[in-house]
Amino acid sequence: MTPIALTALLPSKPTFSIDFKMEADIISTVEFNHTGELLATGDKGGRVVIFQREQESKNQLHRRGEYNVYSTFQSHEPEFDYLKSLEIEEKINKIRWLPQQNAAYFLLSTNDKTVKLWKVSERDKRPEGYNLKDEDGRLRDPATITTLRVPVLRPMDLMVEATPRRVFANAHTYHINSISVNSDYETYMSADDLRINLWNFEITNQSFNIVDIKPANMEELTEVITAAEFHPLHCNTFVYSSSKGTIRLCDMRASALCDRHTKFFEEPEDPSNRSFFSEIISSISDVKFSHSGRYIMTRDYLTVKVWDLNMENRPIETYQVHDYLRSKLCSLYENDCIFDKFECVWNGSDSVIMTGSYNNFFRMFDRNTKRDVTLEASRENSKPRAILKPRKVCVGGKRRKDEISVDSLDFSKKILHTAWHPSENIIAVAATNNLYIFQDKVN
């Protein structure tokens, strides 16, 4: 795929691109399921919205199926920790799908403290003809029952139900930043600032602590865990990243508590680039294994890096996301933007990388051709079926007609969360409180 020709793929109903003004509607996570037929988003209000891909119609075979709302449910509610006098936000930090085993779908969602396992299932038939109840559900008088009835299933309008099957709570002192389903599909892990816990899907009242970096004296704390993920193929291996810009690969076969890593990935700092902001911008905000399991991708404030699992001393690829912001770090520090946590994703074949930026820009890097492109997710530019035009940011000197000056970028419009369809060139981009879906150009 050339990451250049992308067209907006909006559903027939104007569900996407509604410009909500409420804080609760800000999208906080986006995730395709394993087939790409479903797309889940979580928001600051604790809601999960699932979109389903429509089947291709026979009279429009050239058009791909569009995504429309399939189910909406409240996953988390605001809570209050009375012991610590702290409010626990309902905001959904992460959503992770489980592979589909039967007609129902299962997904994990988490806020700062509690992980929930949800079952999403369809119902298009209802039983009628109970012996002890009438059709309205009221209990019948046993004295009036003279014959035995066999209940039958009658068709009804399709109903999608979301039910919480498991609640995994009370295991994290600090805020959960990551959840990752293991390739054995029996366990998953949840990570907060200082600890990583391993859970069994069937056991909700206890978890196993596999990483603990909390020092005996908190004044000696020098780094925190920022993201963690299981290897896609080996159920014993996982990585976690830190605020110091390092990545640790751990093997659960080596010891029960993985405080001692198997591999340690760190790029030596260039002393000539050292500044007051070096430590902040080197903090890793996201870490992702490639689908093949051979590479790790990390995102820090200014760059995306690709690491080979067999080479720990430096990344094999470094991509500048928005290097033009290097001169703006002082004002970005003042408005707190320097602490934004951008995510990064691979395409299905690990050949293209995508990550977000400011001004509703998102960046794509083709690892084979080394081409890159900046695209914009905005309502003005994203009419259905319109081809996205590459955008350019001008740093200094004379600005061309189609360029935007670095001084006129809108830092309140940021793309932190993106997702890529597991097998096709379809991407989902969350621009604050709007969701955009783009696909590669259909001839």
Side-chain angles (χ1 to χ4, degrees):
M1 166 205 180
T2 105
I4 302 297
L6 279 170
T7 56
L9 175 66
L10 293 169
S12 45
K13 302 173 195 153
T15 324
F16 301 74
S17 215
I18 299 172
D19 195 9
F20 298 111
K21 295 293 181 214
M22 307 252 311
E23 175 85 1
D25 295 310
I26 293 174
I27 297 170
S28 52
T29 183
V30 187
E31 189 80 7
F32 279 102
N33 75 338
H34 289 70
T35 61
E37 292 305 300
L38 297 181
L39 171 69
T41 65
D43 65 23
K44 276 197 165 184
R47 288 183 302 266
V48 172
V49 181
I50 301 175
F51 300 90
Q52 185 182 43
R53 195 174 182 188
E54 298 294 320
Q55 297 301 312
E56 290 177 334
S57 57
K58 288 191 173 70
N59 56 348
Q60 291 180 317
L61 285 174
H62 67 285
R63 278 173 63 164
R64 308 278 182 91
E66 296 172 337
Y67 285 83
N68 289 313
V69 174
Y70 176 64
S71 173
T72 303
F73 58 92
Q74 189 73 29
S75 174
H76 287 69
E77 302 278 357
E79 295 171 53
F80 195 79
D81 185 335
Y82 290 96
L83 289 174
K84 294 179 182 161
S85 294
L86 278 177
E87 193 176 357
I88 301 167
E89 271 191 291
E90 65 271 40
K91 174 190 163 201
I92 309 292
N93 292 343
K94 285 283 184 287
I95 289 172
R96 290 289 178 264
W97 290 90
L98 275 70
Q100 193 178 0
Q101 308 288 351
N102 50 33
Y105 302 98
F106 288 88
L107 61 87
L108 287 171
S109 65
T110 184
N111 68 348
D112 285 341
K113 298 287 180 188
T114 306
V115 184
K116 294 184 181 182
L117 175 68
W118 289 89
K119 177 186 181 183
V120 181
S121 53
E122 295 182 357
R123 207 150 58 107
D124 60 357
K125 291 183 177 65
R126 70 164 176 265
E128 284 183 6
Y130 287 109
N131 287 289
L132 301 177
K133 292 179 185 173
D134 61 22
E135 302 310 329
D136 296 327
R138 290 189 296 267
L139 285 171
R140 293 168 67 192
D141 179 3
T144 64
I145 301 171
T146 55
T147 56
L148 189 66
R149 295 196 290 181
V150 178
V152 291
L153 291 171
R154 300 252 185 249
M156 59 177 266
D157 289 339
L158 178 68
M159 203 164 81
V160 181
E161 295 176 316
T163 46
R165 298 307 300 269
R166 305 270 189 280
V167 177
F168 306 90
N170 307 322
H172 286 277
T173 312
Y174 307 98
H175 292 176
I176 298 171
N177 55 45
S178 301
I179 47 175
S180 179
V181 179
N182 202 347
S183 59
D184 61 11
Y185 305 130
E186 289 180 11
T187 55
Y188 77 91
M189 69 178 171
S190 56
D192 67 24
D193 294 344
L194 298 179
R195 295 192 178 101
I196 300 175
N197 292 332
L198 181 69
W199 299 84
N200 186 298
F201 279 110
E202 300 302 320
I203 302 167
T204 58
N205 59 355
Q206 73 185 112
S207 60
F208 192 78
N209 181 223
I210 51 175
V211 172
D212 187 347
I213 64 166
K214 185 181 180 182
N217 178 4
M218 282 296 270
E219 288 178 6
E220 294 167 10
L221 182 69
T222 57
E223 62 181 337
V224 294
I225 297 166
T226 55
E229 189 176 64
F230 269 119
H231 192 284
L233 307 173
H234 306 309
C235 62
N236 53 283
T237 310
F238 67 93
V239 291
Y240 68 92
S241 58
S242 87
S243 55
K244 275 191 162 178
T246 61
I247 310 119
R248 290 171 175 85
L249 180 85
C250 300
D251 188 337
M252 291 191 288
R253 295 172 302 185
S255 65
L257 191 63
C258 302
D259 281 355
R260 296 170 72 170
H261 47 265
T262 310
K263 291 190 175 183
F264 182 75
F265 301 86
E266 183 178 29
E267 186 172 26
E269 190 185 19
D270 180 359
S272 62
N273 277 343
R274 179 110 188 110
S275 73
F276 170 76
F277 305 108
S278 294
E279 220 164 279
I280 303 172
I281 63 172
S282 66
S283 174
I284 292 172
S285 55
D286 196 16
V287 61
K288 292 266 172 55
F289 271 107
S290 62
H291 295 83
S292 65
R294 170 73 189 270
Y295 304 104
I296 308 169
M297 169 168 58
T298 59
R299 170 74 208 258
D300 56 43
Y301 191 66
L302 294 177
T303 66
V304 171
K305 291 171 180 160
V306 177
W307 303 77
D308 189 313
L309 281 192
N310 300 323
M311 193 165 88
E312 298 168 60
N313 59 343
R314 61 187 170 84
I316 55 167
E317 297 160 28
T318 301
Y319 300 99
Q320 300 295 335
V321 178
H322 37 217
D323 204 44
Y324 46 79
L325 295 183
R326 212 175 273 278
S327 59
K328 296 252 175 266
L329 292 177
C330 201
S331 56
L332 289 163
Y333 177 75
E334 286 167 5
N335 65 14
D336 278 352
C337 282
I338 202 166
F339 302 106
D340 284 333
K341 292 176 169 55
F342 291 96
E343 294 172 8
C344 52
V345 288
W346 303 88
N347 72 338
S349 61
D350 299 333
S351 60
V352 182
I353 284 166
M354 174 171 63
T355 191
S357 180
Y358 294 104
N359 208 70
N360 280 358
F361 287 169
F362 59 98
R363 302 270 284 134
M364 286 184 165
F365 303 96
D366 191 313
R367 297 179 60 209
N368 299 326
T369 64
K370 301 304 177 196
R371 290 169 71 198
D372 65 273
V373 66
T374 303
L375 299 166
E376 183 180 2
S378 70
R379 300 183 75 182
E380 297 76 49
N381 299 345
S382 304
K383 296 183 177 68
R385 313 294 160 195
I387 292 181
L388 292 187
K389 293 188 177 73
R391 302 299 308 265
K392 281 200 168 58
V393 178
C394 140
V395 182
K398 201 171 175 195
R399 186 168 67 87
R400 292 193 191 145
K401 186 174 65 126
D402 55 346
E403 290 182 337
I404 181 167
S405 160
V406 69
D407 296 315
S408 53
L409 293 174
D410 187 344
F411 292 104
S412 66
K413 293 179 176 175
K414 54 191 87 168
I415 290 175
L416 303 176
H417 315 287
T418 57
W420 203 307
H421 189 289
S423 56
E424 296 180 40
N425 284 326
I426 296 176
I427 59 169
V429 174
T432 319
N433 38 26
N434 290 307
L435 179 69
Y436 297 91
I437 297 184
F438 303 107
Q439 66 172 16
D440 62 346
K441 190 170 69 174
V442 182
N443 293 326

